[in-house]
């Protein structure tokens, strides 16, 4: 159960652009069906250690998803992630942006800390792997658009 979920993919853009899309423009690519409200008016990623990651609802409420634990633009960021499970069961997400030749970037996602979820760990680990895999096409399009 303690094995990390690892996903990686390449995009046709610089690491600076990829990092900015992931953090500053997350609301443009994060699909509504991967949120708590299902209809957020915004998804916000506060770009600093201690910054919140949250969705803003149509009624003006805010639903926390996590907190930023590492902020090293444009190479790496980390956060405690508790979308749908609550902060007491947060996992750790690290996203690395690696420059490749020809203004391409490799994006590596690693999510760990499944042991904090107790008996639900294996189920949520599988759901999160599927969730990340379903998000890759959305973030890839966003990163390559206008790159």
């Amino acid at each position: 159960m303690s094995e990390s979920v690892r996903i990686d993919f390449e995009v046709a853009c610089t690491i600076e652009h990829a990092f900015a899309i992931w953090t500053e423009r997350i609301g443009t690519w994060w699909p509504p069906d991967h949120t708590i409200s299902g209809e957020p008016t915004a998804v916000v990623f506060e770009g600093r250690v201690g910054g919140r990651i949250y969705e803003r609802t149509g009624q003006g409420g805010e639903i926390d998803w996590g907190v930023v634990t590492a902020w090293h633009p444009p190479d790496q960021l980390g956060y405690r992630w508790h979308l749908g499970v609550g902060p007491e069961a947060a996992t750790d997400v690290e996203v690395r942006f690696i420059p490749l030749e020809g203004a391409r970037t490799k994006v590596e996602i690693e999510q760990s800390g499944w042991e904090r979820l107790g008996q639900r760990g294996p189920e949520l680990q599988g759901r999160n792997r599927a969730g990340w895999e379903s998000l890759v096409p959305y973030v890839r399009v966003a990163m390559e658009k206008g790159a």
Side-chain angles (χ1 to χ4, degrees), residues 35-40 42-44 52-66 81-86:
T35 66
I36 301 297
S37 69
E39 296 183 20
V43 177
V44 179
R52 295 169 52 218
I53 307 166
Y54 63 94
E55 70 183 80
R56 189 170 295 124
T57 68
Q59 295 76 35
E62 294 179 350
I63 302 170
D64 285 329
W65 294 3
W81 187 247
H82 57 82
L83 176 62
V85 294

Coordinates of all heavy atoms in Angstrom, one line a residue, residues 35-40 42-44 52-66 81-86:
T35 N -14.1 17.7 -9.0 CA -14.2 18.6 -7.9 C -15.3 18.1 -6.9 O -16.0 17.2 -7.2 CB -14.6 20.1 -8.4 OG1 -16.0 20.0 -8.9 CG2 -13.7 20.6 -9.4
I36 N -15.4 18.8 -5.8 CA -16.4 18.4 -4.8 C -17.8 19.0 -5.2 O -18.8 18.3 -5.2 CB -16.0 18.9 -3.4 CG1 -14.7 18.4 -2.9 CG2 -17.1 18.6 -2.4 CD1 -14.6 16.9 -2.8
S37 N -17.8 20.3 -5.6 CA -19.1 20.9 -5.9 C -19.7 20.4 -7.3 O -20.9 20.5 -7.5 CB -19.0 22.4 -5.9 OG -18.2 22.9 -7.0
G38 N -18.7 20.1 -8.2 CA -19.2 19.7 -9.5 C -19.4 20.9 -10.4 O -19.5 20.8 -11.6
E39 N -19.4 22.1 -9.9 CA -19.6 23.3 -10.6 C -18.9 24.5 -10.0 O -19.5 25.5 -9.6 CB -21.1 23.6 -10.7 CG -21.9 22.6 -11.5 CD -23.4 23.0 -11.6 OE1 -23.7 24.2 -11.4 OE2 -24.2 22.1 -11.8
P40 N -17.6 24.4 -9.9 CA -16.8 25.5 -9.2 C -16.8 26.7 -10.2 O -16.8 26.5 -11.4 CB -15.4 24.9 -9.0 CG -15.3 23.9 -10.1 CD -16.7 23.3 -10.3
A42 N -14.2 28.7 -9.7 CA -12.8 28.9 -9.8 C -12.1 27.7 -9.1 O -12.6 27.2 -8.1 CB -12.3 30.2 -9.3
V43 N -10.9 27.4 -9.6 CA -10.0 26.5 -8.8 C -8.8 27.4 -8.6 O -8.2 27.9 -9.5 CB -9.7 25.2 -9.6 CG1 -8.7 24.4 -8.8 CG2 -10.9 24.4 -9.9
V44 N -8.3 27.5 -7.3 CA -7.3 28.4 -7.0 C -6.1 27.6 -6.4 O -6.3 26.8 -5.5 CB -7.8 29.4 -5.9 CG1 -6.7 30.4 -5.5 CG2 -9.0 30.2 -6.5
R52 N -3.0 27.8 -0.1 CA -4.1 26.8 -0.2 C -4.4 26.4 -1.7 O -4.1 27.2 -2.6 CB -5.4 27.5 0.3 CG -5.3 27.8 1.8 CD -6.5 28.6 2.3 NE -7.8 28.1 1.8 CZ -8.8 28.8 1.4 NH1 -8.8 30.1 1.4 NH2 -10.0 28.3 1.1
I53 N -4.9 25.3 -1.8 CA -5.5 24.8 -3.1 C -6.9 24.6 -2.8 O -7.3 23.8 -1.9 CB -4.8 23.5 -3.6 CG1 -3.3 23.7 -3.7 CG2 -5.3 23.1 -5.0 CD1 -2.5 22.4 -3.8
Y54 N -7.8 25.2 -3.5 CA -9.2 25.1 -3.2 C -10.1 25.4 -4.4 O -9.7 26.0 -5.4 CB -9.6 26.0 -2.0 CG -9.4 27.5 -2.3 CD1 -10.5 28.3 -2.7 CD2 -8.2 28.1 -2.1 CE1 -10.3 29.6 -2.9 CE2 -8.0 29.5 -2.3 CZ -9.1 30.2 -2.7 OH -8.9 31.6 -3.0
E55 N -11.4 25.0 -4.3 CA -12.4 25.4 -5.3 C -13.3 26.4 -4.7 O -13.6 26.4 -3.5 CB -13.1 24.2 -5.8 CG -14.1 23.6 -4.9 CD -14.8 22.3 -5.4 OE1 -14.1 21.3 -5.4 OE2 -15.9 22.5 -5.8
R56 N -13.8 27.4 -5.5 CA -14.7 28.4 -5.1 C -16.1 28.0 -5.7 O -16.1 27.7 -6.9 CB -14.3 29.8 -5.5 CG -15.2 30.9 -4.9 CD -14.7 32.2 -5.2 NE -13.4 32.4 -4.5 CZ -12.3 32.8 -5.1 NH1 -12.2 33.0 -6.4 NH2 -11.2 33.0 -4.4
T57 N -17.1 27.9 -4.9 CA -18.4 27.4 -5.4 C -19.2 28.6 -5.9 O -18.9 29.8 -5.6 CB -19.2 26.7 -4.3 OG1 -19.6 27.7 -3.3 CG2 -18.4 25.6 -3.6
G58 N -20.3 28.3 -6.6 CA -21.2 29.3 -7.2 C -21.8 30.1 -6.1 O -22.3 31.3 -6.3
Q59 N -21.9 29.6 -4.9 CA -22.5 30.3 -3.8 C -21.5 31.1 -3.0 O -21.8 31.7 -1.9 CB -23.2 29.3 -2.8 CG -24.4 28.6 -3.4 CD -24.0 27.5 -4.3 OE1 -23.0 26.8 -4.1 NE2 -24.7 27.3 -5.4
G60 N -20.3 31.1 -3.5 CA -19.2 31.9 -2.8 C -18.4 31.2 -1.7 O -17.5 31.7 -1.1
G61 N -18.8 29.9 -1.5 CA -18.0 29.1 -0.5 C -16.7 28.6 -1.1 O -16.5 28.7 -2.3
E62 N -15.9 28.2 -0.2 CA -14.6 27.6 -0.6 C -14.4 26.3 0.0 O -14.7 26.0 1.2 CB -13.4 28.6 -0.1 CG -13.5 29.9 -0.8 CD -12.4 30.9 -0.3 OE1 -11.7 30.6 0.7 OE2 -12.2 31.9 -1.0
I63 N -13.9 25.3 -0.8 CA -13.7 23.9 -0.4 C -12.2 23.6 -0.6 O -11.7 23.6 -1.7 CB -14.6 23.0 -1.2 CG1 -16.0 23.3 -1.1 CG2 -14.3 21.5 -0.8 CD1 -16.9 22.5 -2.0
D64 N -11.5 23.4 0.6 CA -10.1 23.2 0.5 C -9.8 21.8 -0.1 O -10.5 20.8 0.2 CB -9.5 23.3 1.9 CG -9.4 24.7 2.4 OD1 -9.2 25.6 1.6 OD2 -9.5 24.9 3.7
W65 N -8.7 21.8 -0.9 CA -8.2 20.5 -1.5 C -6.9 20.2 -0.9 O -6.5 19.0 -1.0 CB -8.1 20.7 -3.0 CG -9.4 20.8 -3.8 CD1 -10.6 20.9 -3.3 CD2 -9.4 20.9 -5.2 NE1 -11.5 21.1 -4.4 CE2 -10.8 21.1 -5.5 CE3 -8.5 20.9 -6.2 CZ2 -11.2 21.2 -6.8 CZ3 -8.9 21.0 -7.5 CH2 -10.3 21.2 -7.8
G66 N -6.1 21.2 -0.5 CA -4.8 20.9 0.0 C -4.0 22.2 0.3 O -4.5 23.3 0.3
W81 N -2.4 16.8 -0.2 CA -3.6 16.7 -1.0 C -4.7 16.0 -0.3 O -4.5 14.8 0.1 CB -3.2 16.0 -2.3 CG -4.2 15.9 -3.4 CD1 -4.8 14.8 -3.9 CD2 -4.7 17.0 -4.2 NE1 -5.6 15.1 -4.9 CE2 -5.6 16.5 -5.2 CE3 -4.5 18.4 -4.2 CZ2 -6.2 17.2 -6.1 CZ3 -5.1 19.1 -5.2 CH2 -6.0 18.6 -6.1
H82 N -5.9 16.6 -0.1 CA -7.0 15.9 0.5 C -8.3 16.1 -0.1 O -9.4 16.1 0.5 CB -7.0 16.3 2.0 CG -7.2 17.8 2.3 ND1 -8.4 18.4 2.2 CD2 -6.2 18.7 2.6 CE1 -8.2 19.7 2.5 NE2 -6.9 19.9 2.7
L83 N -8.3 16.3 -1.4 CA -9.5 16.4 -2.2 C -10.4 15.2 -2.0 O -10.1 14.1 -2.3 CB -9.2 16.5 -3.7 CG -10.4 16.6 -4.6 CD1 -11.3 17.8 -4.3 CD2 -10.0 16.6 -6.1
G84 N -11.6 15.5 -1.3 CA -12.6 14.4 -1.1 C -12.3 13.6 0.1 O -13.2 12.7 0.4
V85 N -11.2 13.7 0.9 CA -11.0 12.9 2.0 C -10.8 13.7 3.3 O -10.9 13.1 4.4 CB -9.8 11.9 1.8 CG1 -10.1 10.9 0.8 CG2 -8.5 12.7 1.6
G86 N -10.5 14.9 3.3 CA -10.3 15.7 4.5 C -8.8 15.8 4.9 O -8.0 14.8 4.5

